[in-house]
Structures are given as C-alpha cells and as structure tokens.
Amino acid sequence: MKHTTPHCKTLVAAIALAMAGPSLAASSVVISQIYGGGGNNGATYRNDFIELLNTSNQPVELNNWSVQYASATGGSWQVTPLSGTLAAGQYLLIWQATGQGGSQALPTPDFSGNIAMSASAGKVALVRNQTALACGSNCAGAAEVADFVGFGSANASEDKPAPAPSNTQSISRKLNGCQDSQSNSSDFAVGSVNPRNSASQSVTCSNNPTDPSKPTDPSEPSQPPSAIRIHDIQGQRHLSSLNGQSVSRIPGVVTQVTAGGFFMQDTLPDNNPLTSEGIYVFTKTAPTVAIGDAVEVSGKVKEYRPGGVDSAQLTVTELESSMAQIKITAQKQALPAPIEITGKIPARYWQGAAGDVETSPQLDLKNALDFLESLEGMRVSVTGAQVVGPTQSYAAHDTAIVANYRQQTTLPNQRGGITITEDERNSGRLILVSGNAVVPEANVGDSFQYAVGVLDYNFANFRLIASDLAPLSRGNLQAEITRAAAADELTLASFNVENLDPKDDPAKINRLASQIVTNLRSPDVVGLMEVQDGNGATDTELVSAAATMEVLLNAIRQAGGPNYSYRQIDPARNQDGGEPGGNIRQVLMFNPARVSFIDRSGATANTAVNSVACAEIACLTHSPGRIQPASSAFNNSRKPLVGEFMFNGHKLFVIANHFNSKGGDQPVAGRFQPPTLSSEVQRNQQAQIVADFVRDLKILNPNAKIAVMGDLNDYQFSAPLAKLKAAGMVDMVEQLPESERYSYVFEGNSQVLDHILLSENLARFAEYDVVHTNAEFADQVSDHDPEVARIRLPQSIQDVTAQFSLSKSGLVLDLKTKQYRSQVITRAVTAAAGNYRLVVKGLPAGVSLANATATSANGPYISFTAGNTVQLQFSNPSKQAFGYELAVEQAVFNY
C-alpha cells in the first residue's frame, strides 16, 4: 500500500482546540462551503462535504448541534451530529457520502456522515439540535436553524439560492467564509474545491465582513517606511526572531501569486547566504496584486506549520496581512534574478545533533534542510531537471525532480529514477508544482532543460512553484516484461492491486489482467494485496470478495491467461484497515494446471492457523489459514494468509502479507532528525509473528520450503525485514544490483516496499525480478510494481523396476492403424499403491512409442497404476524388426 495516514470517523479532540467559553450568537458559526459532487464521474474529490466557520472572535460550543441536508424540493432532512468546541476563526470539515469517482482524497475530517448530496442543487442547514427538522422544505427561518443555504434550483434559501456547484466545483462563502449578508446568492460563489478542516489556517473576520476594503490597521498610512527588510524577518535560523510581532511597510516585488496570498522578494539583498530575501504574504482572500508589482506590506510575522501545530513538518515564515494593509508602489518591475541551485544542495538532509532542527541557533549550509531554508520564498533555478517521481493527479501536478540530470545523485537507477539506501534519502529532490507555468504530466526519466520558480515548503517537502519551464523532453520509458519460465520453474508473484473492486473502471481491471498475463507471464501463484469486497468502499454487511475476483479472473482469461483458481478468507467487517468499507485482504491466486492447492477447510476470519506434524512431516491445521488474527499486532491491519501448494512433487508453504503502512512516520525532510518511525513498532510486531510461524514450520521440518511475500511496507534494510531474515528467510530483492532494488516510487524516491523472501533451500535455485509496470508512470493502475520469483524445482524420479514383475506380450500389427501393439501386465512385488511410469527403453531409430504419456530422461513412458495392464502402441513405418526393454519409474515427493 502506498504511504497514507488512516482515515478517522470523528475527531472531536481536533476541534476542541480552544478552552470552552460562552457561546455567542448562533449566526457567528456559518456554513462556509458545500460540495456535493464527491465520488461522481469526473469529480475532484471522492467525498461530499459540508464546511463550517466560526466567524467570531470567541469559541463556540457545538455540543448537540448538527448539520442537516434535504434535496432541492424535499422536506425530509438527513442529520449528521456535531459536538465539541469550535475556536475563533476555525474551520470544521464534515465528510459525507463516498463515491467511486474522484481523483483526490479530502483532508482528514473533523466529523463524518453518510449523506449522499446532490452535486448541483439542495439545501443545507446548521441546526442547534440533533433532531431532524420538521419544518418541511423551507426551514430558512426556523428558530432552531443557525444558518441555512439553498443552492442551485433549491426551493428555499436565505433571500435567493446560491449558484449551482458541480462535480468539479464547490460553492464557497466569500471573503474566506466571512461574508454574511443573509443572501445566499450574494454571499456564495462557485469555484475550485478548497476543503478546510480544523487544522487549516484560521481566519480573522472583520466587524464588517462585507466591506473588504476597510483598513484593519487605521494607523498604517501615518507610519514611516520600515527599516526592517525581508532578510531581517527571515533571520539566520529556521524560526524568525520576530515571530508574532507586527511589522509595517516591508518592501518587495511580487514574484508569484496564489489563491490566498503571494510571494515577494527584496531587490536589495544583504549578501548574507544564511538569510532568505523572499517571503510568503498570507492575505486569506485572493490578492489583488500581480507579478512584478512593487509593494509595501504591513502585517504580523508568523511561523506557519503545514499540517497543524503538532506536525513534524518545518515551519514557513510568513507575513499575515490583508489587501487593506498592502500598498502597490509600482508595477511591471523586473523580478530578481533566480539563484541557480544546480549541484549546490548538500548530499544529506541533516548532519548535526539529533533532535529538533528548528532549535539550532544558526543555519549550517552543509545540511540540505538548512541550505533550502536559506532560500525559502526566493526565486531559484534548476538546470537539467530530471523527473524522478511520476506526476501525481493533483491540481498542481506535483512532480518530483532532481537537478543536473541526476549527475550529483548517489544511486541513479537504469530507468531514470533515484534508488534510496539505508544512508541516502535523495536530499536533492524538489517537488515541481504548477504556478505561472503549468507542469505537464510526466513519467520517471522525462526531463526539463531548466525550471525556474519560487522555493516553498509544504506537505513535508521543499516545492518549486514553477514560473518558467522548458518543454518536457520525453524519456519514453516502457513497462517491463519478465522472461518466460521453464517447465520445471515454479513462478511466485506478489502484486498490490490498489483497492480492487468490481466497480472499478473496466480499463483498470483489464490493465491489471494484462500485466499479470503479459508482463508477469501468467505466474503459477500470485499473492494479491488490497482486494476489496464485492461493493468496494460502500460500507455494508458484505465482506465477500467473490464478485471482485470474478471480474479479475474473467479479465485474465480474456487477456489469454490461464483459468486461475484462488483461495482466501473473508475478514471481519472493517477490522483489517484500508479504505473504510472496503474490507481489503490478501488472495492466493494459482494456476491449477501447474500447481495443486492442498485444502484443509474450516478456517474463518478469527481462526488462528498452526503447524502440526503429519504424514507429510509438517502440515497446516487450516489451508488457507490466517496467522494470529486476534493478535493486537494486526489491529486495523491485514492478517497474514498462508496456504499449502504442490508443484512437481515439492510441497511449499506460501504466506501472503500486507503489513501496516508507514503513515504517521515523521518525514525525511521534517523538523525532527533523524525522523521517528512510529509505524515501525507495529510492523516489527507483525514481522516477529510471521518469523515465529516460519520457525515453527522449520522445527517440524527443517527442510520445509517456505515463501513469505507481499506488501511489507518497509525497506530491505529495515528492522522488520531483519526479523524475517533472522528466521532463515532470504530477501530476494537483495539479489538485484543495489540501484535496481525498488518496487515503489514515493515523492521521487525509488524504494522497496514489496518483497518475496524464500527459505534458503528455495533461494539458491531462484531468480528474482521486480517488473516495473506502474510505480514510475503517471498513468498507473496501481502504485506498486509487481514482483516475481522463478524457482527451479524439477521432479525427482527413482527407478523402482525391482519392485515389479513385468510380463510383456509379443508384437501384433494392427492393420487398421498400421501400428504394432503389445501389452504389459504389471504385478507389484514390493511396490506400494500409487502412480508409476512404464518406461520403454532401447527403441531403434525410426520406431517410437505412439501412445506415450511423455518422455523422461530414460525414454518415452506411459503412466500406470500398479496391477494394471498397460497397452503399448508403436509406430514403425519401415516395418523393421525391433525389440525393447522395460523399466518402472516413480516420482518422489519432496516435503
């Protein structure tokens, strides 16, 4: 699974950010944004949502309040309860129904409901109780209603309805949510969806929010020009010494404009390499400045921390201001020349003392974090900007790049990316995002001759907001196809199919099938991760994945693949993590024409499988079975699935895994160095349980053939993988050259998350391949690449002729078939019941056994059961005299 943080149903604590105080008038909390297109075809986001804002300067208690929705003409109101305290100027995000469309996930909700809202017309009410409104279709004036919004063709509203939103646009209250003239049509505008939760930047609404031109600092016109410059505000460390202080008439030239502010840069630098000359001005509303405007800005210095005050991200030094505090002194000014940073970013994020880098008294430019901080908000340029992470489908088209065509990177790989190691995290990467210049969709290996923009920090990465971008040069990266396996090679594959369900776009399902058949060459056994139930993320009692597997197996057959079978165990509802309602699980899919599955029935979601002694030395109590499903190590996480297989007389135990994600870990480019890997605690526990299960099998059978595979969500050099290796498992990815060890690309870092580990008695006969089909491409059907291991396991044969008495008849010419016939009576002397091969040896050239089952190293043979008579048919076109000898062989089972 890719790197994500888990969703939550309610985050009451997140809105209780202020001490409880007396509630103000109901009108102080308003409905600030409505989006009903979530999850529709072509939608921006996957969820509908309702957003609230406290426009007052006091906290407001929302205990026993609710938001309610009715259709455009209906009077039946659906309710989502609220609680807690909403701080002054704070937003509140309330998720509603999830759909199958939508390209983005919303920010973490403060509350969640399941109301399916219309994309274009409806009514939303903020209500002081949690009882469904009984006032019919028009409740705009009801006493219990704190705020009311009708939109589109709604038959009720404050004054006139707000305009109609769509699948790609929301309606938002103007002035960042502050405007409230009691007219929905006047107060709301249609625009880009901009969901804000309680962790978003708070706002301050003026006493007259409908008059944005009113100065908030009436003394400003009489103030003298400031002696303070941008470099004084930025200072020589991460945190400004002026944080929280008001400053006035700070000069600069506008270099980039955003939806809620702009960047500006001083044209008179201080020549101190530690102090940045650029800064972001947060205006809350869309600024009325243009690139090239010379401005003087008054406002408050603030260290804004993306992700919230408790986030591990670095802060961004800002000026909080408003257009009333900004004076344009000239227009169409030349912009400061960008600073070329190609080849200058240090090779390590941090080389100082462990801890919080923001506490360091001064920047140290040998650290990448400090070097980039010294350029925060400034115009910079990159030459030879090579794409090392595919474009993500966000509005800004986030694309990871490194400078100088990767010439200064430690471990470039053959396909155009950068592979990380235990000590190297690719500190030179930047996330290129659309600004004045729009970033085109790009794959790993593509490049720009140059990129110019403003250096920003957000989403735990340094970001280059593009203002000037060379045309994209295509690297023409192609998806890989692994080699075909030999007849005596067992092929094991692992593939995270990213929340597969039957409602997925058929194009995705067909492409997954094509990758399995064509790129992976139809492996004998495929461990699938993230297979959802039959209705996907719709949260119902259904947990069966039968419908999901049916569409995939049909698509595989249509693509020319084998008639696969599969085994899996349905999880308990909503207990295995992943997308809420999806009930993801692992599935063992196999080709019955090549391998046999040993079924031992009776296991349910909560049945723990064990290993036991048996006639085959070691067996499972259940096959398939789940390993310790009740252990706290697997809380809200997928349980390992194990099954027994037979191939060419060899028995294998295959364990398919999907360990918990890396969500919650501190970022590699964050304030805490080295980062704390909090998610690793649970993965360590999970790996230990699987390692102990492997050891138990080996205690029963030291020669047990075992494969542990799947999305382990960690690196080959990580502590969880070390636990599996300590149990005698060989991580096959380490058989590849170091630069080729990756199955996933995260924000420009090629890394290993998917593994196939084999017991040593398999590993020494195995060849491994990561088949790069997805992770490097913007147009991907999964964020993971599949992997495959080919293991040479020839059938073992022994000569058991001495255990039989064989009587053969003479040769008779069949005039109809023109073939010579004979028969052999087989009598077992000491042989046991079972299947054998009657081998015909010593046939001269020109004579063949026409009805042979197959040919072994000793000659053609016919399969038979002891005590039966075997018919032989010989082709002898030249009618020559011939004789032959007989032998009996038996396949040896290797447990």
Side-chain angles (χ1 to χ4, degrees):
M1 170 175 185
K2 38 186 160 170
H3 299 237
T4 56
T5 52
H7 292 175
C8 53
K9 286 292 182 183
T10 59
L11 293 176
V12 176
I15 58 167
L17 298 177
M19 295 180 60
S23 298
L24 300 185
S27 59
S28 62
V29 179
V30 298
I31 299 163
S32 54
Q33 190 173 181
I34 297 171
Y35 176 62
N40 295 347
N41 289 335
T44 305
Y45 289 90
R46 301 187 185 108
N47 288 76
D48 299 339
F49 70 83
I50 299 167
E51 179 192 280
L52 306 181
L53 171 66
N54 180 0
T55 64
S56 74
N57 61 1
Q58 294 290 324
V60 175
E61 292 182 0
L62 299 181
N63 289 328
N64 298 316
W65 284 39
S66 65
V67 290
Q68 302 190 21
Y69 171 85
S71 64
T73 59
S76 177
W77 293 87
Q78 301 176 67
V79 179
T80 300
L82 305 176
S83 62
T85 302
L86 190 61
Q90 191 175 35
Y91 294 96
L92 190 74
L93 184 63
I94 307 156
W95 280 19
Q96 297 297 349
T98 304
Q100 296 306 304
S103 59
Q104 300 181 46
L106 288 167
T108 302
D110 300 304
F111 291 90
S112 293
N114 57 8
I115 302 173
M117 299 164 56
S118 167
S120 58
K123 303 185 289 275
V124 175
L126 175 62
V127 184
R128 294 191 199 88
N129 59 48
Q130 296 181 353
T131 303
L133 290 169
C135 42
S137 62
N138 188 353
C139 296
E144 65 269 37
V145 174
D147 194 25
F148 190 98
V149 178
F151 57 98
S153 59
N155 63 357
S157 60
E158 289 182 354
D159 189 21
K160 297 177 182 179
S166 67
N167 290 345
T168 58
Q169 293 183 308
S170 65
I171 53 168
S172 296
R173 192 177 289 272
K174 297 175 182 177
L175 298 181
N176 250 19
C178 293
Q179 179 168 312
D180 190 4
S181 67
Q182 304 298 305
S183 171
N184 292 162
S185 62
S186 298
D187 292 342
F188 283 83
V190 175
S192 299
V193 187
N194 179 30
R196 294 161 290 195
N197 62 11
S198 59
S200 298
Q201 178 79 41
S202 61
V203 298
T204 302
C205 298
S206 71
N207 293 331
N208 182 15
T210 59
D211 182 10
S213 64
K214 180 179 179 180
T216 59
D217 186 357
S219 64
E220 190 275 333
S222 63
Q223 294 172 349
S226 177
I228 297 175
R229 316 286 296 198
I230 292 175
H231 48 252
D232 299 312
I233 296 171
Q234 288 282 9
Q236 300 183 87
R237 55 192 297 260
H238 281 271
L239 302 179
S240 173
S241 60
L242 299 177
N243 185 29
Q245 298 184 28
S246 294
V247 294
S248 61
R249 302 186 68 179
I250 307 299
V253 173
V254 177
T255 57
Q256 183 68 53
V257 179
T258 72
F262 59 89
F263 290 89
M264 70 175 186
Q265 186 168 331
D266 201 331
T267 57
L268 297 175
D270 63 357
N271 296 318
N272 182 347
L274 299 181
T275 58
S276 170
E277 303 294 341
I279 198 166
Y280 183 66
V281 180
F282 177 59
T283 57
K284 306 182 183 74
T285 59
T288 55
V289 296
I291 293 175
D293 284 351
V295 294
E296 291 180 352
V297 177
S298 300
K300 181 180 288 187
V301 178
K302 179 176 180 179
E303 291 290 349
Y304 169 67
R305 192 177 304 283
V309 293
D310 296 325
S311 158
Q313 298 189 53
L314 295 169
T315 63
V316 177
T317 307
E318 296 181 349
L319 284 176
E320 281 193 342
S321 187
S322 67
M323 288 311 301
Q325 297 172 282
I326 297 168
K327 180 180 180 181
I328 299 174
T329 60
Q331 295 178 314
K332 298 181 180 180
Q333 301 298 294
L335 301 184
I339 295 177
E340 177 63 63
I341 61 173
T342 301
K344 297 179 181 178
I345 302 176
R348 294 288 185 272
Y349 277 115
W350 187 253
Q351 301 180 75
D356 186 346
V357 305
E358 293 177 345
T359 63
S360 296
Q362 183 172 296
L363 301 179
D364 184 345
L365 299 185
K366 73 174 184 294
N367 298 314
L369 293 179
D370 287 359
F371 174 80
L372 294 168
E373 168 73 20
S374 74
L375 300 170
E376 178 186 273
M378 295 183 67
R379 279 169 46 82
V380 300
S381 62
V382 171
T383 301
Q386 181 155 333
V387 176
V388 293
T391 303
Q392 301 299 303
S393 56
Y394 310 129
H397 262 196
D398 295 16
T399 304
I401 60 170
V402 296
N404 202 18
Y405 302 104
R406 304 185 300 164
Q407 292 303 307
Q408 275 79 41
T409 58
T410 301
L411 201 59
N413 59 54
Q414 294 179 355
R415 291 174 59 81
I418 305 295
T419 305
I420 66 167
T421 66
E422 187 169 7
D423 299 319
E424 171 58 48
R425 290 295 191 273
N426 189 14
S427 61
R429 68 193 169 90
L430 300 172
I431 307 299
L432 183 66
V433 299
S434 296
N436 255 24
V438 176
V439 178
E441 190 173 274
N443 298 327
V444 168
D446 295 347
S447 61
F448 305 90
Q449 186 178 1
Y450 62 85
V452 178
V454 172
L455 188 65
D456 188 24
Y457 180 91
N458 205 343
F459 301 104
N461 281 296
F462 287 95
R463 298 158 67 85
L464 183 61
I465 305 175
S467 59
D468 189 11
L469 199 56
L472 181 67
S473 175
R474 295 289 183 185
N476 297 316
L477 191 69
Q478 300 297 311
E480 288 185 333
I481 299 176
T482 198
R483 76 160 173 85
D488 64 354
E489 286 183 314
L490 171 72
T491 50
L492 297 177
S494 166
F495 198 174
N496 183 320
V497 291
E498 196 176 6
N499 291 323
L500 178 67
D501 76 74
K503 295 182 287 186
D504 281 337
D505 187 337
K508 170 185 175 176
I509 297 170
N510 290 336
R511 285 181 61 192
L512 287 172
S514 176
Q515 289 186 18
I516 291 170
V517 174
T518 302
N519 301 84
L520 294 180
R521 303 279 194 148
S522 299
D524 299 320
V525 179
V526 185
L528 300 172
M529 290 82 224
E530 292 199 20
V531 175
Q532 293 194 344
D533 61 34
N535 59 17
T538 302
D539 191 5
T540 68
E541 296 295 329
L542 178 68
V543 293
S544 169
T548 308
M549 289 305 299
E550 181 180 4
V551 297
L552 178 61
L553 297 184
N554 284 339
I556 289 173
R557 286 190 288 268
Q558 289 294 318
N563 188 17
Y564 278 113
S565 297
Y566 69 93
R567 299 292 188 273
Q568 60 95 50
I569 295 176
D570 291 333
R573 179 184 173 195
N574 288 333
Q575 296 300 304
D576 281 24
E579 193 173 20
N583 295 305
I584 58 174
R585 83 289 309 272
Q586 298 88 266
V587 173
L588 290 170
M589 187 174 73
F590 61 95
N591 180 1
R594 291 269 297 164
V595 296
S596 300
F597 190 89
I598 301 175
D599 284 293
R600 306 185 196 277
S601 62
T604 66
N606 298 314
T607 305
V609 65
N610 293 296
S611 55
V612 293
C614 62
E616 302 157 28
I617 308 177
C619 294
L620 301 177
T621 54
H622 302 89
S623 177
R626 301 202 334 157
I627 299 175
Q628 292 197 27
S631 170
S632 60
F634 297 107
N635 285 351
N636 199 38
S637 185
R638 286 67 54 180
K639 285 67 175 173
L641 180 73
V642 59
E644 297 178 55
F645 289 90
M646 292 296 298
F647 174 79
N648 267 1
H650 298 266
K651 180 176 178 178
L652 291 90
F653 298 91
V654 179
I655 307 172
N657 304 271
H658 187 183
F659 289 176
N660 73 297
S661 80
K662 297 179 77 66
D665 288 357
Q666 291 176 347
V668 295
R671 62 189 286 204
F672 298 108
Q673 296 294 325
T676 298
L677 308 179
S678 58
S679 70
E680 189 179 68
V681 174
Q682 187 176 8
R683 278 194 304 283
N684 273 325
Q685 296 169 348
Q686 294 173 341
Q688 189 63 60
I689 287 173
V690 175
D692 290 343
F693 190 85
V694 168
R695 288 190 179 95
D696 289 343
L697 282 171
K698 289 186 173 183
I699 289 172
L700 291 170
N701 182 1
N703 295 316
K705 298 180 178 70
I706 306 169
V708 175
M709 63 183 183
D711 178 2
L712 303 187
N713 264 316
D714 222 329
Y715 313 129
Q716 68 274 23
F717 44 77
S718 66
L721 268 295
K723 295 181 182 300
L724 294 170
K725 295 176 198 176
M729 303 300 293
V730 178
D731 193 354
M732 296 305 297
V733 75
E734 293 181 315
Q735 309 301 309
L736 298 177
E738 191 173 25
S739 66
E740 303 308 310
R741 298 174 190 173
Y742 66 95
S743 63
Y744 189 86
V745 180
F746 180 67
E747 296 178 343
N749 282 342
S750 298
Q751 55 195 257
V752 176
L753 294 184
D754 307 271
H755 300 260
I756 294 178
L757 297 100
L758 301 177
S759 52
E760 292 174 354
N761 54 358
L762 292 177
R764 62 176 173 264
F765 301 110
E767 179 184 84
Y768 173 82
D769 189 12
V770 178
V771 187
H772 300 300
T773 57
N774 292 305
E776 301 160 318
F777 299 92
D779 179 23
Q780 55 187 218
V781 292
S782 170
D783 48 356
H784 291 252
D785 287 330
E787 53 180 345
V788 62
R790 289 176 287 270
I791 311 167
R792 187 171 59 83
L793 291 172
Q795 195 169 44
S796 297
I797 301 295
Q798 63 180 349
D799 189 305
V800 292
T801 306
Q803 298 178 18
F804 283 83
S805 171
L806 304 174
S807 300
K808 64 180 180 181
S809 67
L811 292 168
V812 177
L813 177 62
D814 186 326
L815 297 176
K816 184 176 182 180
T817 63
K818 307 299 183 185
Q819 293 179 340
Y820 290 83
R821 290 188 292 107
S822 178
Q823 64 180 22
V824 179
I825 300 172
T826 66
R827 294 185 179 90
V829 178
T830 59
N835 295 318
Y836 298 87
R837 298 172 172 181
L838 183 63
V839 183
V840 178
K841 304 166 65 176
L843 289 174
V847 180
S848 61
L849 182 62
N851 63 334
T853 302
T855 300
S856 74
N858 293 318
Y861 67 85
I862 295 175
S863 298
F864 74 98
T865 303
N868 288 347
T869 299
V870 180
Q871 302 294 330
L872 305 179
Q873 297 177 22
F874 297 96
S875 175
N876 183 13
S878 64
K879 299 181 181 179
Q880 62 179 299
F882 69 93
Y884 59 91
E885 296 178 0
L886 295 173
V888 180
E889 296 176 344
Q890 184 180 35
V892 178
F893 286 94
N894 192 329
Y895 297 122

